[in-house]
Amino acid sequence: MINEKVEIMVKVHMMKAYEGDFIWLSYGDSEKEYHLLIDGGIKECRERYADVIRSISAKGESIEAIILTHIDCDHIAGACEGIAKIDAEVLQRTVKKIFFNTSEKIYKEILISKNSGEYGVKEGIEFWEILKEKGISNRIVERIVAGETINLADGALLKVISPGEKQLEKLLDKWETYEKKHMPVGYSSNLDQVKQNLTDLMRVQSGTDSSVNNASSIAFLFEYQDIKGAFLGDSKPSVCMEGLKKFDIKGVYPLDFVKISHHGSISNTNIKLLKKLSTVNYLLSTNGHEKKVPSKVVIAKLLRDCIEENKSEITLYCNYDWWESQYHNKYFTQRDRQMYIDTKVLKVSLLGEEGTKVKDGMILYGK
């Protein structure tokens, strides 16, 4: 009897999370899958977050890791409130590890603040209480730094490239001072950029993200079989570059996909990192709320790298049609369309429930 070939598969679900991130990654074969939940979006995502965990549990499969990249509300609020809705028995049976750079002591003695704002301090404190109540607080890993390799089931690997020790120290030891001096970090306006051609934006300086939160964001490489990708959270490119050195990655590191940092904010993507983490497939999670992100400068830099590295085309995979819904299809100028859209050098793809094949063994979904 000839055994049928078992197909290896990686599925990335770019869940609709409004202006936030909520990514469900599953990997394995047709007989058994393993799962990662990366962030959980804003609080309105709670029901969907809970439903995903219940569906995984109902199949008798495991969540290898819940990864909360950092404490901004648009990344953790949906996860906190979603977990609160799930029976403790389901969580205990299903969730193996929770990666979250913090500690209960830090939250209760240092991070407590009257200003919860957009930072997620309040949610972070509540999260610890929820985990205790559900009987899974012992599964949290409180310190994840660049250079660590996390081994998952069936040979999958996470290689952590952010944060470094210095960035984590600033979050855990200097947060209180920072928060008193700074308002929550916002986005610069994108409207003036939209009026310009992509070609003219390729050399615009990116600036630097000064947020302590974002500098502490967990970013990692995911590797399974012959599929490799990067999930950059809201990380800073300079921190990721340093993190790559810890894996002795000095030259170009080819990837099948890169999840763009900070929803396409101008301060979180630079040409050096694009050339290092080389790909033609970019994932972008945002609804384009208030026309702030994605920055058109970021897309121009993706194209600049495409041209300079002699790539024939690049594809931007999105979970919302922000270029139409937020900009009434005027995000790209006529010149942009003639040079990049019509020639298919730049493809902007809205992901759907039916899935889009990126390569053999890998499918992207938008839900």
Side-chain angles (χ1 to χ4, degrees), residues 71-330:
I71 63 173
D72 284 351
C73 286
D74 60 334
H75 291 254
I76 71 168
C80 294
E81 296 199 15
I83 287 173
K85 290 180 167 292
I86 303 171
D87 291 342
E89 181 185 354
V90 170
L91 292 167
Q92 292 167 16
R93 183 174 64 243
T94 309
V95 179
K96 288 188 176 182
K97 295 288 184 183
I98 301 168
F99 296 118
F100 188 30
N101 264 332
T102 180
S103 73
E104 185 175 24
K105 179 178 183 294
I106 289 294
Y107 266 115
K108 289 195 170 181
E109 297 183 6
I110 297 178
L111 299 186
I112 293 178
S113 167
K114 297 293 184 184
N115 172 27
S116 62
E118 297 175 10
Y119 286 128
V121 175
K122 173 175 172 286
E123 285 76 8
I125 297 167
E126 291 175 351
F127 188 54
W128 271 99
E129 298 303 320
I130 292 167
L131 296 181
K132 281 185 175 180
E133 178 188 327
K134 300 297 183 179
I136 56 172
S137 59
N138 62 333
R139 303 183 192 187
I140 195 162
V141 180
E142 300 175 12
R143 191 174 183 84
I144 303 295
V145 295
E148 294 185 31
T149 298
I150 299 167
N151 296 289
L152 302 176
D154 204 30
L157 297 176
L158 303 184
K159 295 180 178 179
V160 182
I161 60 174
S162 173
E165 294 281 357
K166 181 170 68 174
Q167 289 77 34
L168 196 54
E169 177 187 349
K170 284 186 177 180
L171 175 73
L172 301 185
D173 295 340
K174 300 179 181 178
W175 169 273
E176 192 172 35
T177 303
Y178 175 87
E179 189 183 16
K180 287 177 180 177
K181 294 181 179 178
H182 295 74
M183 293 296 290
V185 176
Y187 302 99
S188 59
S189 172
N190 201 29
L191 292 177
D192 289 340
Q193 298 171 2
V194 169
K195 298 175 184 178
Q196 300 180 61
N197 298 324
L198 284 164
T199 302
D200 298 329
L201 295 171
M202 288 183 181
R203 301 282 172 177
V204 171
Q205 294 297 313
S206 297
T208 302
D209 184 346
S210 61
S211 166
V212 169
N213 278 15
N214 293 340
S216 73
S217 179
I218 297 173
F220 59 90
L221 308 176
F222 170 81
E223 300 182 1
Y224 178 65
Q225 302 290 343
D226 66 341
I227 295 173
K228 295 181 179 180
F231 292 95
L232 300 183
D234 280 7
S235 62
K236 295 175 61 171
S238 59
V239 177
C240 290
M241 291 289 285
E242 287 299 312
L244 289 168
K245 291 179 183 177
K246 294 185 179 296
F247 293 100
D248 202 30
I249 297 174
K250 298 176 181 177
V252 174
Y253 193 74
L255 296 170
D256 297 305
F257 65 92
V258 170
K259 182 269 173 188
I260 296 174
S261 178
H262 204 191
H263 324 288
S265 173
I266 190 173
S267 299
N268 298 80
T269 298
N270 67 21
I271 198 71
K272 290 182 179 179
L273 187 61
L274 291 176
K275 290 185 181 302
K276 180 75 71 172
L277 299 179
S278 180
T279 189
V280 295
N281 300 308
Y282 296 95
L283 281 53
L284 180 65
S285 176
T286 184
N287 62 357
H289 179 59
E290 295 183 356
K291 302 180 176 64
K292 295 176 181 176
V293 286
S295 166
K296 196 169 180 181
V297 172
V298 169
I299 297 176
K301 289 184 182 301
L302 301 183
L303 281 167
R304 175 184 162 189
D305 176 66
C306 174
I307 293 166
E308 291 179 353
E309 301 302 320
N310 295 314
K311 301 172 185 176
S312 59
E313 62 184 40
I314 57 172
T315 304
L316 191 62
Y317 294 99
C318 307
N319 52 357
Y320 288 92
D321 61 345
W322 47 266
W323 62 96
E324 293 182 356
S325 59
Q326 291 292 316
Y327 295 92
H328 308 292
N329 218 21
K330 294 182 180 179

Side-chain angles (χ1 to χ4, degrees), residues 27 40 76 80 332 350:
Y27 69 93
I76 71 168
C80 294
F332 298 108
L350 176 63

